[in-house]
Amino acid sequence: MSFFPSLNLGALGLTADFTQALSLATEFGYGGIDPDLGYLQTHDAAQVAGEVTGAGLAWGVAGLPVNLTADAATYAGQLAGLPALADTLAAAGVTRVGTWLNPSSDEVTYRRNFNRHADRIATVAELLSPAGIRLGLEYVGPKTSWEVGQYPFVHTLAETRELIAASGAGNVGVFLDTYHWYTAGESADDLRGLTNADVVGCDINDAPVGKDRREQIDLSRELPAATGVIDAAGFVAALTDIGYDGPVKVEPFNKAFAAQPVREAVEQARAAMKVVLGR
Amino acid sequence: MSFFPSLNLGALGLTADFTQALSLATEFGYGGIDPDLGYLQTHDAAQVAGEVTGAGLAWGVAGLPVNLTADAATYAGQLAGLPALADTLAAAGVTRVGTWLNPSSDEVTYRRNFNRHADRIATVAELLSPAGIRLGLEYVGPKTSWEVGQYPFVHTLAETRELIAASGAGNVGVFLDTYHWYTAGESADDLRGLTNADVVGCDINDAPVGKDRREQIDLSRELPAATGVIDAAGFVAALTDIGYDGPVKVEPFNKAFAAQPVREAVEQARAAMKVVLGR
Amino acid sequence: MSFFPSLNLGALGLTADFTQALSLATEFGYGGIDPDLGYLQTHDAAQVAGEVTGAGLAWGVAGLPVNLTADAATYAGQLAGLPALADTLAAAGVTRVGTWLNPSSDEVTYRRNFNRHADRIATVAELLSPAGIRLGLEYVGPKTSWEVGQYPFVHTLAETRELIAASGAGNVGVFLDTYHWYTAGESADDLRGLTNADVVGCDINDAPVGKDRREQIDLSRELPAATGVIDAAGFVAALTDIGYDGPVKVEPFNKAFAAQPVREAVEQARAAMKVVLGR
Amino acid sequence: MSFFPSLNLGALGLTADFTQALSLATEFGYGGIDPDLGYLQTHDAAQVAGEVTGAGLAWGVAGLPVNLTADAATYAGQLAGLPALADTLAAAGVTRVGTWLNPSSDEVTYRRNFNRHADRIATVAELLSPAGIRLGLEYVGPKTSWEVGQYPFVHTLAETRELIAASGAGNVGVFLDTYHWYTAGESADDLRGLTNADVVGCDINDAPVGKDRREQIDLSRELPAATGVIDAAGFVAALTDIGYDGPVKVEPFNKAFAAQPVREAVEQARAAMKVVLGR
């Protein structure tokens, strides 16, 4: 098995109900669809799972319903609610959740932030484990993101791997994104140090032209292969080399793209992925 | 203000209702009484506070209702319940809680255990902070305790201070115990490196004769000054030097002592404290 | 005793031989003079000490002859040479050395860099200890400095204190600089968390007008009180409150200033210090 | 290529000159011989290398001439001398050095000791790297060893791997010993988490009967397969599974064995290895 394109309307800046999303994913040849935890909580999870399977699709990655940098009271509440949510995901057959790492803080030093993340990740992973769910951590690469506060935090693959190791959790890996990989100045060989077991999810995007790598701004991106600023071919070749078999999605954070009718946007995103993924 | 003897029947191995405990504390000249969280939850906390104050007593230290080494699900549940419990303690005027540190693990390495403790302590401290409560951490000193599992953990004052620093919390300090101070091989000068703000609570006990320091077993102790194995005078002198103004209790873990009638035992404990505390 | 102005010609961008420097320091009412290790190595250290004392001056802070971020071979060589250099400093009566912390790296992650610094500092401090010398660490505050490489490093007082604690060394403290304190966005109260024992040395400088705090560039500064951008009064008040009794110098990194004749520059620097220090 | 028995007379408690050792290694079918750094320093390293190769032998593992827990002055001196020694080893074609980790300290806490080791290992590894030499770290497993001081330190495979990761060095791995693996309570599957690249060297020994695993004393061992207390077959099967291709030696710390004539002892050790290694 190999990696497959997964549809996530929210990540495209689009809105539609789940039935329509399923229909669009099938029509345009997606291999998977990202789960919506809110939808699963208000519907029969097993039945939804059947619809996805029936459409010949696999699940992508759900968002982690715990904020790793929340204040203690918020964190305590989200943690207490996690086992039930994990059960819902498990009932639907979802096996991957992901979250991103805030690359900057005005409150806590790097080391304190690291310890906080390491233990919270370990705790969350322990709660996800009985449900058979893996957690993917997405580092945020742009300098314009990590320079914001007084204390820059994890914003590279190397640091993310240190964090995963420190958590000691067996069901935690990295969630890759071409955009962060590019803005962090990393190479295809950096990815080849990973195995399929280390990668929980993946995004492919491109970056706008006319900006230096260190000037790129996180929420202003392009569809894959739109500009060629990012070496998507090198990235995908590395994914292939390490045998990654999970979902790949697009998250362009692009207003012009998202202003299109949903159907056209979904089709266009799929076509862009085909250029890069070769399938 | 100076430190004061506080009555904790449970720590003496005794049982009585709160009204009786209050009466005994007054009769035998204790300066304080340790709060019982379960009792406060089932009574009017403000009214109980009034009774304590009315009896001329101050509060000692309540037990922390969170297990720092619990599995993630248990921890998540206890954490979620903590704010309400902290409010109850605050309503009663309690400002100190304490817990002990398990000095050994068969599951996690020292470093992983340290990170886990540091973040859990930070999270707990953040939840206690709005209620104006400080948390005291009691290290467990005997070699016979830290050698039990495959990975010894924090069992000295120096390590406990590292842990408190790593938590980054302003409302966390140490809970001292002559017995752990002795079994850890520490000196009065080690205590002089602390300030009153660093000490949340304190126990005074003695150790049985006939055992080497490293052979002492945690749950087999004596009343203060019973044997003279522990240099209680040096310990108390250091407490005085640093201006400690909190509660001091006795926790003999001694069956013969606890087999006495409650009234006799409370009187005897108080007399033993007087020898050591000079008051 | 209180803090005193110390003359360091190199830090002013000036050049003169030691005899002339001593004469200028006396003429313009400096309280001390910074040692030049190279000079001490090539002269009779005890005799130089006598000249300094005879001129009514105290020693300031010498530069640490070890590069904390050097490659292993360079580091090994510098380390091996340190005991003899420490003896030379001790023979001259010098008790303070200082070095700055590179706030950025392209090679090593924050954590690895932190561990490297912590152990190298511990090792250096152990070698300085028999000579009775304390080591001061100067953090570099400007965002334009810590954002340079892929991995920002220690650039605040809070992080520097974490590093000192991690070293475990009793003879290591902080070397303060108004310029770094300002660019790090710190307050006078942050300084009040220190004691005299925590501070090994101090610089006072001002920053140019017309630049946001985060735009300031390290090697472009002004004499103390030249612009009023930095709250020197608040800084000095905090130094007074904590009882700092060591040297204070000026390091303006200012070409126009350094282009003056040595005598005029030394006089001008002293006058600027008087405005800020009140003496 | 597979692992091979290597002769180390010192580890057997025996003494002979290098020429005799080489002759014995050949006679009794050893595949390698451990280098003696002192011998190489006083002879022509390239010529010695030729004799070893000419005898059909490979080099085993040399001792690291740096004490990782030495005081700073000793460490600085050893570090400064390391590059020249590494060159000597390289001239002889030696590619592996090893050292053991002291599992206990009376001076420094676990975390401080860990940081010290991590940076010293990184520094040593950087100095060995140009010479193409890898460093193997041997953890010491017996409880009777790690319980000695006030602060137990790294004494398991899991902790050793944490330490190697923290060093960030690419040329550092583990040096295994059946005796430490057994006394640490580890399994063959724990070894299967390693790769050949992770293992720099290996010892096989057995433990005396009549002692509980936690009662075993480090310097009292038996030849491999002598008692069957240690599951040597499981250990060797795991080495085979991970493709370990380096040297294996015997280190019995056994006076009766070492009291034999050298020739008989070398033969007996080889025979014992054959039973366990199957070659």
Side-chain angles (χ1 to χ4, degrees):
Chain A
M1 188 183 173
S2 181
F3 51 79
F4 56 89
S6 185
L7 179 62
N8 184 319
L9 288 174
L12 295 172
L14 307 172
T15 313
D17 63 30
F18 183 74
T19 308
Q20 190 185 351
L22 206 59
S23 166
L24 288 167
T26 313
E27 178 179 357
F28 292 113
Y30 285 82
I33 186 166
D34 277 9
D36 177 328
L37 181 52
Y39 184 82
L40 291 174
Q41 287 183 277
T42 52
H43 293 74
D44 182 309
Q47 186 180 318
V48 177
E51 295 169 19
V52 169
T53 309
L57 299 175
W59 280 123
V61 182
L64 175 71
V66 175
N67 178 350
L68 296 176
T69 59
D71 64 273
T74 302
Y75 170 65
Q78 292 179 338
L79 211 55
L82 185 57
L85 298 179
D87 285 346
T88 298
L89 290 170
V94 175
T95 60
R96 298 168 190 254
V97 304
T99 195
W100 55 282
L101 303 171
N102 188 331
S104 178
S105 170
D106 259 331
E107 311 297 331
V108 286
T109 62
Y110 189 102
R111 291 173 83 233
R112 202 162 286 166
N113 212 357
F114 192 94
N115 282 359
R116 181 173 67 170
H117 274 80
D119 184 61
R120 290 187 171 190
I121 288 164
T123 303
V124 162
E126 189 180 333
L127 294 176
L128 294 175
S129 185
I133 298 174
R134 294 162 67 209
L135 170 64
L137 302 175
E138 181 178 15
Y139 61 94
V140 171
K143 172 177 179 289
T144 57
S145 295
W146 59 252
E147 74 181 1
V148 169
Q150 185 60 14
Y151 303 109
F153 189 52
V154 168
H155 54 279
T156 61
L157 179 57
E159 293 166 293
T160 306
R161 298 187 76 178
E162 285 184 354
L163 184 55
I164 292 168
S167 80
N171 59 332
V172 179
V174 70
F175 189 109
L176 296 170
D177 186 324
T178 52
Y179 185 79
H180 298 310
W181 170 76
Y182 159 70
T183 52
E186 292 160 351
S187 72
D189 277 347
D190 290 328
L191 301 175
R192 288 193 175 88
L194 298 165
T195 67
N196 178 42
D198 294 324
V199 185
V200 175
C202 186
D203 284 358
I204 48 169
N205 300 290
D206 212 338
V209 294
K211 275 183 185 158
D212 180 78
R213 175 173 70 81
R214 289 201 134 208
E215 291 166 348
Q216 295 285 352
I217 294 170
D218 195 14
L219 302 187
S220 170
R221 307 174 180 174
E222 301 286 342
L223 283 185
T227 62
V229 167
I230 300 179
D231 174 22
F235 181 92
V236 170
L239 282 193
T240 303
D241 287 353
I242 67 172
Y244 175 57
D245 68 4
V248 179
K249 79 170 192 286
V250 174
E251 190 170 37
F253 288 123
N254 187 300
K255 285 187 183 175
F257 170 81
Q260 298 178 90
V262 172
R263 203 171 171 283
E264 278 79 344
V266 169
E267 181 173 20
Q268 189 187 344
R270 183 65 189 87
M273 294 178 90
K274 193 162 191 175
V275 172
V276 168
L277 301 179
R279 68 188 69 169
Chain B
M1 186 182 175
S2 182
F3 50 82
F4 56 90
S6 185
L7 178 62
N8 184 320
L9 288 174
L12 294 172
L14 307 172
T15 313
D17 63 31
F18 184 76
T19 307
Q20 189 187 353
L22 206 58
S23 167
L24 289 167
T26 313
E27 177 179 357
F28 292 112
Y30 284 83
I33 186 166
D34 277 9
D36 177 329
L37 181 50
Y39 184 81
L40 292 174
Q41 284 182 278
T42 52
H43 292 75
D44 182 308
Q47 186 181 319
V48 177
E51 293 169 21
V52 170
T53 310
L57 298 175
W59 280 121
V61 182
L64 175 70
V66 176
N67 178 350
L68 296 175
T69 58
D71 63 274
T74 302
Y75 171 65
Q78 292 179 339
L79 210 57
L82 185 57
L85 297 179
D87 285 348
T88 298
L89 290 171
V94 176
T95 60
R96 299 169 190 252
V97 303
T99 194
W100 56 282
L101 304 171
N102 188 330
S104 179
S105 170
D106 259 330
E107 311 295 332
V108 286
T109 62
Y110 189 103
R111 291 173 81 234
R112 202 161 287 164
N113 212 358
F114 192 93
N115 282 359
R116 180 173 68 169
H117 274 81
D119 184 60
R120 290 187 171 189
I121 288 165
T123 303
V124 163
E126 190 180 333
L127 295 175
L128 294 175
S129 185
I133 298 174
R134 293 161 68 209
L135 170 63
L137 302 175
E138 181 178 15
Y139 61 94
V140 171
K143 172 177 179 289
T144 57
S145 295
W146 58 253
E147 74 182 358
V148 169
Q150 185 60 16
Y151 303 109
F153 190 52
V154 169
H155 54 279
T156 61
L157 179 57
E159 293 166 294
T160 305
R161 297 188 75 177
E162 285 184 356
L163 184 56
I164 293 168
S167 79
N171 58 332
V172 179
V174 70
F175 190 109
L176 296 170
D177 186 324
T178 51
Y179 185 79
H180 298 309
W181 170 76
Y182 159 70
T183 51
E186 292 160 352
S187 72
D189 277 347
D190 290 327
L191 301 175
R192 289 193 176 87
L194 299 165
T195 67
N196 178 42
D198 294 325
V199 185
V200 175
C202 185
D203 284 358
I204 49 168
N205 299 291
D206 212 339
V209 294
K211 277 184 185 159
D212 180 77
R213 176 173 69 80
R214 289 201 133 206
E215 291 166 349
Q216 296 284 353
I217 294 171
D218 196 12
L219 301 187
S220 172
R221 307 175 180 171
E222 300 287 342
L223 282 186
T227 63
V229 167
I230 300 180
D231 174 23
F235 182 91
V236 170
L239 282 193
T240 304
D241 287 353
I242 67 173
Y244 175 58
D245 68 4
V248 179
K249 79 170 192 287
V250 174
E251 190 171 36
F253 288 122
N254 187 300
K255 285 185 185 177
F257 170 81
Q260 299 177 90
V262 171
R263 198 168 175 286
E264 279 77 346
V266 169
E267 180 173 20
Q268 189 187 346
R270 184 65 190 89
M273 296 180 88
K274 192 160 191 176
V275 171
V276 169
L277 301 180
R279 69 188 69 166
Chain C
M1 186 184 175
S2 182
F3 50 81
F4 57 89
S6 185
L7 178 62
N8 183 320
L9 288 174
L12 295 172
L14 307 172
T15 313
D17 61 31
F18 183 75
T19 308
Q20 189 186 354
L22 205 60
S23 165
L24 290 167
T26 312
E27 176 179 359
F28 293 112
Y30 283 82
I33 186 165
D34 277 9
D36 178 327
L37 181 51
Y39 184 83
L40 292 174
Q41 286 183 277
T42 51
H43 293 74
D44 182 308
Q47 185 180 319
V48 177
E51 295 168 21
V52 169
T53 309
L57 298 175
W59 280 122
V61 182
L64 174 71
V66 176
N67 178 351
L68 297 176
T69 59
D71 63 274
T74 303
Y75 171 65
Q78 292 179 337
L79 210 55
L82 186 57
L85 297 179
D87 285 347
T88 298
L89 291 171
V94 176
T95 60
R96 299 169 190 252
V97 303
T99 194
W100 55 282
L101 303 171
N102 188 331
S104 180
S105 170
D106 259 331
E107 310 298 330
V108 286
T109 62
Y110 189 103
R111 290 173 83 233
R112 203 161 285 165
N113 212 357
F114 191 94
N115 282 0
R116 181 173 65 171
H117 274 80
D119 184 60
R120 290 188 171 190
I121 288 164
T123 303
V124 163
E126 190 180 333
L127 294 176
L128 295 175
S129 185
I133 298 174
R134 293 162 67 209
L135 169 64
L137 302 174
E138 181 178 15
Y139 62 93
V140 171
K143 174 177 178 289
T144 57
S145 296
W146 57 253
E147 73 182 1
V148 169
Q150 186 59 14
Y151 302 109
F153 189 52
V154 168
H155 54 279
T156 61
L157 178 58
E159 293 166 293
T160 306
R161 297 187 75 179
E162 286 183 355
L163 184 56
I164 293 167
S167 80
N171 58 333
V172 179
V174 69
F175 189 109
L176 295 170
D177 186 324
T178 53
Y179 185 79
H180 299 310
W181 170 75
Y182 159 70
T183 52
E186 292 160 351
S187 72
D189 278 347
D190 290 329
L191 301 175
R192 290 194 175 87
L194 299 165
T195 67
N196 178 43
D198 295 323
V199 185
V200 174
C202 185
D203 284 359
I204 49 169
N205 299 290
D206 211 338
V209 294
K211 276 185 185 158
D212 180 77
R213 175 172 70 80
R214 288 201 134 208
E215 291 166 349
Q216 296 284 354
I217 293 170
D218 195 13
L219 301 187
S220 171
R221 307 175 179 173
E222 301 286 342
L223 282 185
T227 62
V229 166
I230 299 180
D231 174 24
F235 182 92
V236 170
L239 282 193
T240 304
D241 287 353
I242 67 173
Y244 175 58
D245 67 5
V248 178
K249 79 170 192 288
V250 173
E251 190 170 36
F253 288 122
N254 187 300
K255 286 187 183 175
F257 170 82
Q260 299 178 89
V262 170
R263 200 169 174 284
E264 279 79 345
V266 169
E267 179 172 23
Q268 190 187 345
R270 183 66 189 89
M273 294 180 89
K274 192 161 193 176
V275 172
V276 167
L277 301 180
R279 69 188 69 166
Chain D
M1 187 183 174
S2 184
F3 49 81
F4 57 89
S6 185
L7 178 62
N8 185 319
L9 288 174
L12 294 172
L14 307 171
T15 313
D17 63 31
F18 184 75
T19 307
Q20 188 186 354
L22 206 59
S23 166
L24 289 167
T26 312
E27 175 180 0
F28 293 112
Y30 284 84
I33 186 166
D34 278 9
D36 177 327
L37 181 51
Y39 184 82
L40 291 174
Q41 286 184 276
T42 51
H43 293 75
D44 182 307
Q47 184 180 319
V48 177
E51 294 169 21
V52 170
T53 310
L57 298 175
W59 281 122
V61 182
L64 175 70
V66 176
N67 178 351
L68 297 176
T69 59
D71 64 273
T74 303
Y75 171 66
Q78 293 180 337
L79 210 57
L82 185 57
L85 298 179
D87 285 347
T88 298
L89 291 171
V94 175
T95 60
R96 300 169 190 253
V97 304
T99 194
W100 55 283
L101 304 170
N102 188 331
S104 179
S105 171
D106 258 331
E107 310 297 331
V108 286
T109 62
Y110 189 104
R111 292 173 82 233
R112 202 162 286 164
N113 213 357
F114 192 94
N115 283 359
R116 181 174 65 170
H117 274 80
D119 184 60
R120 290 187 171 189
I121 288 165
T123 302
V124 163
E126 189 180 333
L127 294 175
L128 294 175
S129 186
I133 298 174
R134 294 161 67 209
L135 170 63
L137 302 174
E138 180 178 17
Y139 61 94
V140 172
K143 173 177 179 288
T144 57
S145 295
W146 59 251
E147 73 182 2
V148 170
Q150 185 60 13
Y151 303 109
F153 189 52
V154 168
H155 54 280
T156 61
L157 178 58
E159 293 166 294
T160 306
R161 297 188 75 180
E162 286 184 355
L163 184 56
I164 293 168
S167 79
N171 58 332
V172 179
V174 70
F175 190 109
L176 295 170
D177 186 323
T178 51
Y179 185 80
H180 298 310
W181 170 76
Y182 159 71
T183 51
E186 292 160 351
S187 72
D189 278 348
D190 290 328
L191 301 175
R192 290 195 174 87
L194 298 165
T195 67
N196 178 43
D198 294 324
V199 185
V200 174
C202 186
D203 284 0
I204 49 170
N205 299 291
D206 211 339
V209 294
K211 276 184 185 158
D212 181 76
R213 175 173 71 80
R214 290 201 133 207
E215 291 166 347
Q216 296 284 353
I217 293 170
D218 196 13
L219 301 187
S220 171
R221 307 174 181 173
E222 301 286 342
L223 283 186
T227 62
V229 166
I230 300 181
D231 174 23
F235 183 90
V236 170
L239 281 193
T240 304
D241 286 353
I242 67 173
Y244 175 59
D245 67 5
V248 178
K249 79 169 192 289
V250 174
E251 190 170 36
F253 289 123
N254 188 300
K255 286 187 182 174
F257 169 82
Q260 300 177 88
V262 172
R263 200 169 173 284
E264 278 78 345
V266 169
E267 180 173 22
Q268 189 187 346
R270 182 65 188 90
M273 295 179 90
K274 192 162 193 175
V275 172
V276 168
L277 301 179
R279 71 188 68 164

